Amino acid sequence: LWVTHSDSVTYYHASPGRNAEVVIDHFKQRTTEDEVFLVCDRYSAYKKLSKKLTWITLAFCWAHVRRDFLDAARSWPELKDWMLDWVEDIGSLYHINKQRLSCWDDSLILQWQSTAFKSHHQALKNALDAIDDKRKTLLTQELKKPQKQVLDSLGNHWSGLTLFLDHPQIPMDNNTSEQKVRGPVTGRKIYYGSGSVWSAQFLTILLTLLKTIEAWEVNPHHWLDAYLNACAENNASAPEDLSRFIPWEMSNEQLERFKLPKHSSIGIDSS
């Protein structure tokens, strides 16, 4: 099960494999070649994707970097303090970036942000520079293999790990994607997955619909009730005009009515 999401859409896709061709085929459907930032982990399929489609730039996940140091701390108790010192540095990055984003105005370019934002932005830049300098200095010293491995990986992915500095809209990790796939994965373990290809594909359609409208804070009960009634009134077929059910095409009034609590009567016209 693959999932990609943006601010407006969450899309699920079932595939027999996890190779790079799955994501390459997905993104090849895009009709423009404006630069896209793809927030992801360090899986090789994404790296192959960015080489194949050069308009995609990978923004790597700091949560996975943090996990590298935590895993090494557990596996090498004698290096625990050394590894946890890096975990603390990464935690500081998250804290400073959170302060910076609290002052971020997404309607303004970076240079026009407030004085408060610029202050936190400079602090974040200084913290990233300090981590990079620390890494480079330590690599000139005699290190044990686990230490060198985590620092080499950090350096190899540094450009993708620092994109969020000059592009505040980029999150520091891909935790949101992992959270969006956790529910279906938990379900697979409980009910042993879909029993056929068509049922797996049907599941991805429902997940795409429900998770997308959830992102728009639409009440799924109201949305499904209105959509299924419209189908019934159209001789059990999908309505020809779907704009009434697509969040970014609805009027503001329609969208607000769909956001009402479950037991509210919203009186949506399905004609």
Side-chain angles (χ1 to χ4, degrees):
L1 182 66
W2 296 77
V3 60
T4 57
H5 76 93
S6 65
D7 289 340
S8 58
V9 174
T10 300
Y11 175 71
Y12 290 83
H13 175 66
S15 173
R18 298 184 68 239
N19 61 62
E21 296 307 313
V22 178
V23 283
I24 290 172
D25 287 345
H26 171 68
F27 283 101
K28 276 171 65 176
Q29 298 176 48
R30 196 165 180 266
T31 56
T32 64
E33 293 192 358
D34 296 332
E35 185 176 23
V36 167
F37 296 113
L38 181 65
V39 185
C40 59
D41 58 28
R42 298 160 298 187
Y43 182 43
S44 58
Y46 305 129
K47 296 176 182 179
K48 185 174 179 180
L49 168 70
S50 67
K51 290 179 180 178
K52 186 85 171 180
L53 304 177
T54 55
W55 43 268
I56 289 180
T57 301
L58 303 183
F60 292 117
C61 171
W62 275 99
H64 282 81
V65 175
R66 181 177 181 273
R67 194 178 304 166
D68 289 344
F69 289 100
L70 287 173
D71 288 345
R74 283 190 287 266
S75 299
W76 302 82
E78 68 275 19
L79 300 176
K80 179 179 177 181
D81 291 342
W82 189 94
M83 296 293 177
L84 292 184
D85 184 55
W86 281 94
V87 172
E88 188 173 336
D89 289 343
I90 295 170
S92 295
L93 288 182
Y94 271 93
H95 176 67
I96 298 170
N97 191 49
K98 184 177 181 180
Q99 291 179 313
R100 181 180 73 139
L101 292 179
S102 68
C103 306
W104 168 247
D105 183 344
D106 60 9
S107 67
L108 300 176
I109 62 174
L110 203 63
Q111 294 84 346
W112 294 353
Q113 293 294 319
S114 67
T115 301
F117 174 89
K118 290 179 179 178
S119 176
H120 293 308
H121 181 79
Q122 186 60 50
L124 182 60
K125 184 179 185 306
N126 293 343
L128 284 167
D129 288 344
I131 284 180
D132 196 32
D133 290 342
K134 179 180 176 180
R135 177 187 64 83
K136 291 174 180 176
T137 300
L138 286 172
L139 284 172
T140 65
Q141 304 171 9
E142 186 174 346
L143 299 173
K144 293 186 177 180
K145 185 177 179 180
Q147 294 171 308
K148 190 173 186 307
Q149 285 177 332
V150 290
L151 294 184
D152 282 343
S153 177
L154 180 60
N156 291 339
H157 298 92
W158 188 251
S159 61
L161 286 166
T162 54
L163 283 172
F164 77 100
L165 176 65
D166 291 329
H167 302 277
Q169 73 273 22
I170 298 176
M172 286 182 64
D173 54 50
N174 71 335
N175 287 353
T176 303
S177 296
E178 294 199 348
Q179 290 164 3
K180 287 179 181 292
V181 83
R182 185 174 295 138
V185 169
T186 302
R188 180 182 63 192
K189 293 179 179 178
I190 294 173
Y191 53 70
Y192 303 108
S194 300
S196 62
V197 173
W198 77 262
S199 62
Q201 292 171 341
F202 182 61
L203 174 64
T204 63
I205 292 171
L206 290 179
L207 288 170
T208 296
L209 286 171
L210 295 174
K211 288 297 183 181
T212 295
I213 63 173
E214 180 184 88
W216 286 82
E217 299 180 354
V218 164
N219 187 313
H221 298 276
H222 293 325
W223 187 91
L224 282 170
D225 185 64
Y227 179 74
L228 293 176
N229 272 299
C231 291
E233 292 172 3
N234 193 40
N235 298 317
S237 299
E240 294 181 9
D241 179 16
L242 292 174
S243 62
R244 293 171 294 145
F245 306 102
I246 300 175
W248 54 91
E249 292 188 9
M250 295 178 192
S251 68
N252 290 334
E253 182 182 1
Q254 286 177 312
L255 190 58
E256 289 306 313
R257 284 191 293 176
F258 271 126
K259 290 181 179 182
L260 291 173
K262 177 180 177 181
H263 297 295
S264 301
S265 175
I266 61 174
I268 293 177
D269 180 10
S270 58
S271 61

